Amino acid sequence: MPAGHLISRITILGTGLIGGSFALALRKYTTGTHISGWDRGDVLREAQNRGAVDESFSGDLTPALQKADLVYIALPIAPTIDLLPEIARHAPPHALVTDACSTKVRIAQAAGEIFSSEKGPLFLGGHPMAGRELSGIAHANADLFRENTYALIAKSSEPVLAGLQARSFPPANEPAPSQDSRVSAFVKILEKIGARPLWLGAPQHDYAVGLASHLPQLAAVALAGFLYDRLDENGLPITLAGPGLRDSLRLAGSAYSTWRDIVLTNQEVLSAALDLFARRLDDLREKLSSRELEADFDAANELYKLLRGLKSD
């Protein structure tokens, strides 16, 4: 089936891991889709070699935008924000513009001001909850999004940071807003490539990913740095490490360049989360000599079961 009569020409800005995987997913699961890529020349050559794009653009952004029904921004957060005004000026009025950035509040604020004309292109914030510790088109995969949540941002300004202290978590899913036909067409594409769309507000999104994604990344960095500082001339302690440590530190292979903008745009949530996580570590230390630690293991086991269940639902 065609991707949808409203979306047949797609321009992907940034053809690395996420943008390249989106292109490959379109190739595998939709038909009648013309895919253009905008990136550096060397990245685009590899994307073309993999059959991910039909047309390539570098440098001037305008030609890449002019015929697009969908503009899919798969760039880091700072360049995305910087490019939004140009995209709003040059994308066709009928186009849907969406991003795949890992934090949403700053982008939602910027897009709300820039994409304010009813006669211009429409902006929809998004974030695929899929990725790898290795970046780049070489690691792109057509099935990267399958069975994974894809966050879509509904207009909401309700603060959620207080939930960290009160343990009053926001609702798991907001009702899908009354959808523009372009948004409905994009949601259908997401479903075709196997993603699971989930509507929520931008603050709610940043709160949730701060705890479920960004905090584990920083915890892996801290543990890896702690162990690295203690390596001796024989490679101990990691010469005795088994697969458990490798599994625990998979995220430590992520590049700082990938995470710089994420941390900078979610500082408030991360700062509060790190404080509370540090208190939990202190609590564990106090329980080392008692059987009370068993309750923490039980809770951890239950959360692990929940995570496994989310993947198989």
Side-chain angles (χ1 to χ4, degrees):
M1 291 179 63
H5 72 281
L6 291 178
I7 298 178
S8 60
R9 298 184 66 90
I10 298 174
T11 292
I12 300 174
L13 308 183
T15 53
L17 175 66
I18 297 299
S21 294
F22 185 63
L24 292 171
L26 291 171
R27 280 277 183 262
K28 184 173 181 178
Y29 295 108
T30 72
T31 60
T33 304
H34 182 277
I35 305 170
S36 298
W38 180 86
D39 211 315
R40 300 193 317 268
D42 58 323
V43 178
L44 287 168
R45 282 190 291 274
E46 188 165 359
Q48 286 182 312
N49 290 338
R50 296 197 61 184
V53 297
D54 300 300
E55 195 172 8
S56 298
F57 297 90
S58 286
D60 185 9
L61 186 58
T62 304
L65 300 172
Q66 288 178 334
K67 297 180 180 179
D69 302 317
L70 172 69
V71 179
Y72 189 93
I73 312 170
L75 298 168
I77 297 164
T80 294
I81 294 173
D82 290 343
L83 287 175
L84 287 180
E86 187 174 357
I87 295 169
R89 283 195 303 271
H90 297 295
H94 73 274
L96 177 68
V97 179
T98 188
D99 76 299
C101 291
S102 299
T103 62
K104 305 278 37 119
V105 169
R106 287 280 301 279
I107 288 175
Q109 290 170 344
E113 297 171 1
I114 294 166
F115 291 84
S116 57
S117 173
E118 293 182 2
K119 297 181 179 179
L122 176 68
F123 184 85
L124 172 68
H127 179 204
M129 301 309 300
R132 302 181 63 183
E133 68 276 15
L134 301 172
S135 60
I137 182 67
H139 304 287
N141 187 322
D143 290 320
L144 186 70
F145 305 102
R146 291 200 68 78
E147 304 303 322
N148 286 312
T149 298
Y150 199 111
L152 296 171
I153 304 306
K155 291 183 179 180
S156 170
S157 59
E158 182 181 355
V160 295
L161 187 60
L164 275 168
Q165 297 290 348
R167 296 185 65 185
S168 56
F169 297 101
N173 193 4
E174 291 196 1
S178 178
Q179 289 181 12
D180 182 283
S181 57
R182 292 166 288 185
V183 173
S184 298
F186 179 60
V187 170
K188 288 179 181 177
I189 289 175
L190 294 181
E191 291 170 344
K192 286 178 182 177
I193 68 175
R196 298 174 172 177
L198 175 72
W199 289 94
L200 68 173
Q204 182 187 18
H205 169 276
D206 287 4
Y207 165 89
V209 295
L211 270 65
S213 176
H214 307 166
L215 178 62
Q217 174 66 45
L218 294 182
V221 168
L223 179 56
F226 173 82
L227 293 172
Y228 183 79
D229 289 343
R230 284 155 181 80
L231 291 178
D232 66 13
E233 63 275 10
N234 298 312
L236 291 170
I238 67 166
T239 48
L240 292 182
L245 182 64
R246 288 192 293 273
D247 291 344
S248 298
L249 293 184
R250 181 182 64 82
L251 294 174
S254 299
Y256 171 67
S257 59
T258 301
W259 283 90
R260 178 189 58 211
D261 291 352
I262 297 172
V263 172
L264 289 174
T265 55
N266 209 17
Q267 291 181 62
E268 188 178 12
V269 169
L270 278 175
S271 180
L274 285 168
D275 284 344
L276 292 172
F277 186 58
R279 292 183 205 171
R280 175 53 64 95
L281 292 176
D282 288 339
D283 185 52
L284 290 178
R285 182 175 60 244
E286 295 298 321
K287 296 177 181 178
L288 289 177
S289 59
S290 74
R291 290 287 300 273
E292 294 178 31
L293 199 59
E294 184 176 0
D296 293 275
F297 272 79
D298 289 342
N301 294 163
E302 288 303 313
L303 181 64
Y304 181 68
K305 292 175 186 176
L306 285 173
L307 286 173
R308 290 176 63 88
L310 287 175
K311 191 69 177 179
S312 60
D313 282 349

